[in-house]
Amino acid sequence: MANIDVKVPDIGDSHDVPVIELLVKDGDAVEKDQPLLVLESDKATMEVPAPAAGIVRGLQVKVGDKLNTGSAICQLEGDVAAAAPKAEAKPATAPEKKVAADAAPAKKSEAPAAVPATPAKGGGSLEVRIPDLGDSKDVPVIELLIADGDSVEKDQPLLVLESDKATMEVPAPAAGTVRALKVKLGDKLSKGDLVCTLEGDGGAATEAKAEAAPAPKRTEPEVAAESPKPAPAPAPQKIAAEAAPTKTGDVPYAGPATRQFARKLGVDLAQVKGSGPRGRIVIEDVQAFVKARLSAAPTAAATTTGGAGIPPIPAQDFSLYGEIENKPLARIRKISAAHLHRSWLNVPHVTQNDEADITELEAFRKAQGEELNLKLTLLPFIMKAVGAVLKQYPEFNSSLSADGESLVMKKYCHIGFAADTPNGLVVPVVRDVWSKGIVQLSNECGELAKKARDGKLKPDEMRGGCFSISSLGGIGGSHFTPIVNAPEVAILGVSRSQMKPVWNGKEFVPRLMCPLSLSYDHRVIDGAAAARFVVSLGKLMADMRRLAL
Ligand code: CAO
């Protein structure tokens, strides 16, 4: 057993480069080439990989330390024979013979003229090619940031390449319009491969030629790629093009280890807020993001875009079109938005419309209200009638079991009603509708509605509903499509009653007609059953004496 001293390899002309991520701790077992830490200068971000497999001992650096070529990092304890070839025992400059040998012919075969962007024959346009990637070849495109016809600024990232060890943005060598894009996501590219043509005014393109010509400056020593003799290795891996050391455009600013970690978990780095220097996303940010997503109830934001594999609605800058103000959503609205969206996506909805003749019911309601000196609205009458019809058609008083294999039939009848409050929609639930009279239902609806408006409903008062009623009758409108309040299987929408001419077989007579809209879960309820439900409800509302039968 022997130890290898791990030192910072040649980092070119960079000095006092801060450690922005430390990826190991004492005692960690690392693989050869596993990143140990990330250095970041003004111009570039570099990972320092382990020169061999081993156990990290005597770690001498911490985040924030400023390192130079040759600065000691740690020792690697391991089986030297397996962990490091003899020559590699020489710290930081340990020769990576294989790499060097591989790199050399690659270098030779590369025609230098192919690397730079070269003006196209027509002038005014510029071929953009992959710059020198050192010893990396066939590096996959992991992000394509442009499409044909896009206008790009000079230095705007065009695509991101990522090898096992490094991630690199390829920036636009000049401003222009992207034409003849030759690459797609997943393509494996090497130095000199054509990316696209940039069409601009002749001046800009020609001017760009000089700047585009050299490959982005690499912090690893060029000798590593050029010389067949043992070269300093492992070279630090440049993971952000010099032109774009910070997050540019829409490209998440993160190192390869973080990107790889995010990809494993399926995390879109564009959604992760970086806590590192200059907003760099570190592994802990990805972990925190996943944790927050797992523990949070689905938010309105999470469900307004991209839910259930639906392509997200692209974000827009509305201020481009006029003055705007950002108003945070109330908590209730966020919760109900998520719930409604969930129900809408999960339940195959159908809405059955009908009208109930409530001429007599209205006369009775008004008379009783006056007689009892009570504010009796239509809602408790409808609730009582719905309760009776639920008894008649028990599948409307059910829920699908979690495995979708059976129906949970409820032997109780709790009915919720949608209440409009200043902070959004809530659905308080009236318990045991079967056992209560209309006056009691009216009192309870009134109390619950007041609590809802005052924001004083307890969670328990909004749970356990079997069916919901959404009454917009006090406001107006004809029919609408209420969203089933899942896991309930149906909801009744009630709109504003209107006096209408109704044919009674002999003549048109004025009748007060109340629009009913029954939305139901078509997995549980057939259209015929829904029609029967609404017809029965209409008959009951037309003559509440039937309740006594
Ligand atoms: N046709 C005609 N008039 C009706 C009616 C109907 N279908 N429904 C209610 N009205 C009348 C009431 O009788 C009352 O009139 P009077 O004062 O003359 O008696 C008036 O409209 C106001 O009633 P109300 O709305 O205060 O009382 P309610 O019991 O009918 O409703 C509640 C209570 C809480 C359901 C209601 O206030 C509410 O919030 N409705 C909105 C529900 C909602 O937002 N649904 C949408 C959910 S999906 O987005």
Side-chain angles (χ1 to χ4, degrees):
M1 301 284 272
N3 292 349
I4 306 168
D5 287 328
V6 182
K7 296 188 178 179
V8 175
D10 186 353
I11 49 176
D13 54 358
S14 301
H15 300 285
D16 295 333
V17 186
V19 177
I20 62 159
E21 266 182 83
L22 197 55
L23 306 169
V24 290
K25 57 183 185 317
D26 262 331
D28 279 1
V30 294
E31 298 295 318
K32 180 172 181 302
D33 291 335
Q34 181 176 330
L36 302 174
L37 52 79
V38 183
L39 299 173
E40 187 172 277
S41 70
D42 284 355
K43 298 177 185 166
T45 310
M46 299 156 272
E47 275 183 2
V48 177
I55 310 285
V56 175
R57 299 284 181 216
L59 188 62
Q60 298 190 28
V61 295
K62 56 185 189 312
V63 171
D65 279 1
K66 294 185 174 167
L67 307 185
N68 293 296
T69 301
S71 297
I73 295 175
C74 64
Q75 291 198 322
L76 277 182
E77 177 192 295
D79 173 355
V80 186
K86 205 176 173 193
E88 283 184 345
K90 203 175 165 194
T93 54
E96 272 276 41
K97 282 190 176 154
K98 187 171 175 295
V99 173
D102 283 352
K107 182 75 189 174
K108 278 180 198 151
S109 68
E110 286 158 358
V115 180
T118 50
K121 277 185 187 159
S125 65
L126 180 70
E127 286 183 350
V128 181
R129 293 181 180 271
I130 298 297
D132 185 1
L133 303 175
D135 55 349
S136 301
K137 284 186 291 184
D138 296 331
V139 186
V141 177
I142 60 155
E143 283 173 61
L144 190 58
L145 308 165
I146 45 163
D148 259 326
D150 279 3
S151 298
V152 294
E153 298 297 316
K154 180 172 183 305
D155 292 336
Q156 182 177 327
L158 303 176
L159 51 85
V160 182
L161 299 173
E162 188 172 278
S163 70
D164 286 353
K165 303 173 188 167
T167 307
M168 191 163 98
E169 283 172 8
V170 175
T177 304
V178 175
R179 300 282 179 219
L181 182 61
K182 290 278 185 278
V183 297
K184 57 184 189 317
L185 218 57
D187 278 2
K188 294 185 173 166
L189 304 183
S190 303
K191 176 182 168 183
D193 285 346
L194 181 61
V195 175
C196 64
T197 304
L198 272 186
E199 192 179 85
D201 66 85
T206 316
E207 188 188 315
K209 186 190 165 193
E211 291 192 34
K217 188 181 165 205
R218 296 176 56 81
T219 47
E220 70 187 280
E222 287 300 317
V223 68
E226 281 170 1
S227 171
K229 67 179 185 273
Q237 303 294 328
K238 180 168 180 176
I239 59 174
E242 191 173 7
T246 54
K247 183 176 170 25
T248 38
D250 293 332
V251 184
Y253 177 38
T258 308
R259 285 176 185 275
Q260 199 176 33
F261 182 64
R263 261 207 314 280
K264 266 189 199 158
L265 301 180
V267 171
D268 174 8
L269 279 179
Q271 295 189 37
V272 180
K273 198 170 178 312
S275 66
R278 284 172 283 155
R280 181 180 162 82
I281 302 167
V282 295
I283 284 182
E284 285 73 19
D285 296 328
V286 178
Q287 285 169 331
F289 177 83
V290 172
K291 201 169 160 196
R293 280 294 166 100
L294 288 177
S295 56
T299 61
T303 50
T304 44
T305 58
I310 294 171
I313 296 162
Q316 276 209 36
D317 181 359
F318 299 103
S319 66
L320 291 175
Y321 313 108
E323 192 187 331
I324 58 163
E325 181 198 342
N326 209 15
K327 197 173 155 194
L329 286 180
R331 200 181 68 87
I332 289 180
R333 192 168 295 279
K334 285 197 231 171
I335 294 170
S336 65
H339 176 67
L340 288 165
H341 194 231
R342 216 167 34 222
S343 298
W344 180 253
L345 289 175
N346 279 298
V347 176
H349 280 72
V350 181
T351 303
Q352 174 75 38
N353 294 311
D354 203 353
E355 288 186 337
D357 182 340
I358 59 163
T359 317
E360 267 81 45
L361 173 56
E362 265 302 273
F364 179 66
R365 178 181 77 84
K366 283 192 175 142
Q368 288 303 308
E370 276 169 27
E371 197 178 313
L372 301 168
N373 198 20
L374 261 182
K375 181 173 163 53
L376 261 186
T377 64
L378 196 56
L379 181 65
F381 289 89
I382 299 175
M383 192 175 275
K384 189 69 195 168
V386 165
V389 185
L390 285 175
K391 205 170 228 173
Q392 202 179 341
Y393 301 101
E395 72 269 30
F396 286 79
N397 198 32
S398 75
S399 286
L400 260 180
S401 64
D403 62 5
E405 295 289 322
S406 56
L407 273 188
V408 180
M409 311 300 292
K410 295 161 197 170
K411 305 290 165 93
Y412 51 83
C413 183
H414 307 328
I415 298 181
F417 65 94
D420 181 33
T421 80
N423 287 326
L425 179 71
V426 288
V427 185
V429 175
V430 177
R431 311 264 146 193
D432 300 316
V433 170
W434 284 333
S435 65
K436 290 174 183 168
I438 286 168
V439 172
Q440 188 176 352
L441 291 177
S442 172
N443 290 340
E444 289 190 22
C445 285
E447 281 163 25
L448 287 168
K450 182 170 184 323
K451 275 189 174 180
R453 279 191 292 271
D454 297 344
K456 291 192 173 149
L457 275 181
K458 296 193 192 95
D460 256 9
E461 291 169 314
M462 293 181 275
R463 286 193 191 125
C466 308
F467 183 100
S468 296
I469 299 174
S470 175
S471 172
L472 292 173
I475 302 168
S478 53
H479 289 94
F480 66 107
T481 309
I483 296 179
V484 173
N485 188 12
E488 297 168 15
V489 295
I491 182 170
L492 180 74
V494 182
S495 298
R496 191 161 192 83
S497 315
Q498 270 189 331
M499 218 31 124
K500 288 189 176 176
V502 176
W503 184 251
N504 68 3
K506 289 189 198 141
E507 57 185 345
F508 282 104
V509 288
R511 306 295 295 176
L512 187 62
M513 304 304 289
C514 180
L516 304 176
S517 307
L518 178 80
S519 291
Y520 57 92
D521 184 338
H522 210 342
R523 293 172 301 176
V524 177
I525 291 162
D526 296 334
R532 282 187 203 106
F533 185 99
V534 176
V535 168
S536 294
L537 180 64
K539 279 186 183 161
L540 258 186
M541 288 170 68
D543 188 350
M544 293 291 275
R545 289 175 306 180
R546 289 169 183 267
L547 276 176
L549 295 177

